[in-house]
Amino acid sequence: MLELKGVSYVADDGKEILKNINLVIEDAKFVVITGPNGGGKSTLAKVIAGIIKPTKGQIILDGQDITDWGITERAKAGISFAFQQPVRFKGVTVKDLIMLASGKDLSTAAACEYLSAVGLCAKDYIDREVNDSLSGGELKRIEIATVMARKTKLTLFDEPEAGIDLWSFKNLIDVFEKMHREIQASILIISHQERILNIADQVVVISNGEIVEMGTKEKVLPDLFGVETGCRYFQGGDK
């Protein structure tokens, strides 16, 4: 279980990005964080991953205070973070990357299974370098394959739908459902996409650095997408 207690973050320019965030992510839950652009969603994900240290508050993982831990320590403790724009690794093959993620000497066949799960033809990608020859969509799917190989207790995805085509997006939904069903780990996704929100156990809405609503999709989604409400939480964003 991951718990955030009174987490706040103030940027170098003095702007308060996160304001007293209190959030509990139970084990094996699928949680989606949504809200207007500029509301603090991606910052919160980076705070959980250890990329950014909160100005105030505590982050507790399975009863242990990890507030001062860096990204490497948190990764070892079982927290994975998938970037909105995946990192490229010149000289590293897709197979190398999946093997590193899994932490063991995988066979080519085993590594290929992860690629197939994200809709890539394994024989076309397994020996390719993770470099500029790959499109953003290809990189995104390869990154998700590596996350699946790690099988961590908590995986964070920052807008995983960014830069991928419609066919890939449809398969992405299947991948997330499969991860949730088979790995039995917690998944935390930053997303605006209604189809991703619709498969969540819990939806958290953040606006202006604060949690403004939280609950099951049945409770929260009518306010987000209902005609009568006018999507009130998405008003006043950066776009």
Side-chain angles (χ1 to χ4, degrees):
M1 182 177 76
L2 182 77
E3 184 175 5
L4 278 65
K5 296 182 176 180
V7 168
S8 298
Y9 176 69
V10 179
D12 292 339
D13 62 2
K15 182 179 179 181
E16 192 173 19
I17 308 298
L18 299 176
K19 307 169 186 177
N20 194 38
I21 298 292
N22 293 288
L23 176 64
V24 174
I25 300 174
E26 301 284 352
D27 291 340
K29 292 297 183 181
F30 192 123
V31 180
V32 178
I33 295 179
T34 192
N37 293 316
K41 304 183 300 299
S42 292
T43 299
L44 179 59
K46 291 175 181 176
V47 164
I48 293 172
I51 298 170
I52 294 174
K53 184 177 178 180
T55 307
K56 295 180 182 178
Q58 288 181 294
I59 302 172
I60 310 295
L61 179 66
D62 294 336
Q64 185 168 10
D65 190 333
I66 64 168
T67 310
D68 293 327
W69 291 14
I71 188 170
T72 301
E73 292 172 294
R74 296 190 196 193
K76 290 178 180 178
I79 297 177
S80 294
F81 181 75
F83 290 90
Q84 189 176 131
Q85 297 297 327
V87 180
R88 300 173 191 269
F89 300 93
K90 186 176 181 180
V92 176
T93 68
V94 172
K95 181 182 177 181
D96 292 337
L97 199 60
I98 294 175
M99 287 180 62
L100 285 169
S102 71
K104 54 188 177 183
D105 188 15
L106 289 178
S107 66
T108 299
C112 285
E113 286 182 10
Y114 291 110
L115 291 176
S116 298
V118 295
L120 293 177
C121 180
K123 67 181 180 64
D124 292 338
Y125 287 90
I126 195 68
D127 293 320
R128 286 183 65 176
E129 286 191 16
V130 188
N131 57 23
D132 291 339
S133 69
L134 295 168
S135 70
E138 289 170 327
L139 278 172
K140 183 63 65 75
R141 285 190 273 175
I142 289 167
E143 182 181 46
I144 293 170
T146 63
V147 168
M148 292 177 69
R150 284 203 66 201
K151 298 181 180 179
T152 48
K153 65 177 65 178
L154 173 64
T155 302
L156 297 93
F157 293 94
D158 188 3
E159 297 193 17
E161 69 275 10
I164 65 173
D165 56 64
L166 182 60
W167 183 90
S168 297
F169 178 66
K170 290 177 180 177
N171 281 272
L172 191 63
I173 301 296
D174 293 337
V175 168
F176 288 143
E177 290 183 313
K178 182 177 181 180
M179 284 181 64
H180 189 216
R181 182 175 62 253
E182 295 184 0
I183 299 176
Q184 288 296 299
S186 299
I187 299 173
L188 178 61
I189 298 181
I190 309 297
S191 181
H192 295 128
Q193 290 291 332
E194 187 172 0
R195 287 190 61 186
I196 293 179
L197 288 160
N198 271 320
I199 61 174
D201 296 317
Q202 181 181 19
V203 177
V204 179
V205 184
I206 292 183
S207 181
N208 296 317
E210 300 177 284
I211 294 178
V212 294
E213 189 162 359
M214 178 168 51
T216 63
K217 56 180 176 289
E218 290 81 9
K219 174 189 173 185
V220 177
L221 294 191
D223 276 340
L224 289 177
F225 299 108
V227 175
E228 294 180 1
T229 63
C231 302
R232 58 191 173 93
Y233 295 125
F234 289 93
Q235 295 176 359
D238 289 347
K239 287 188 178 180

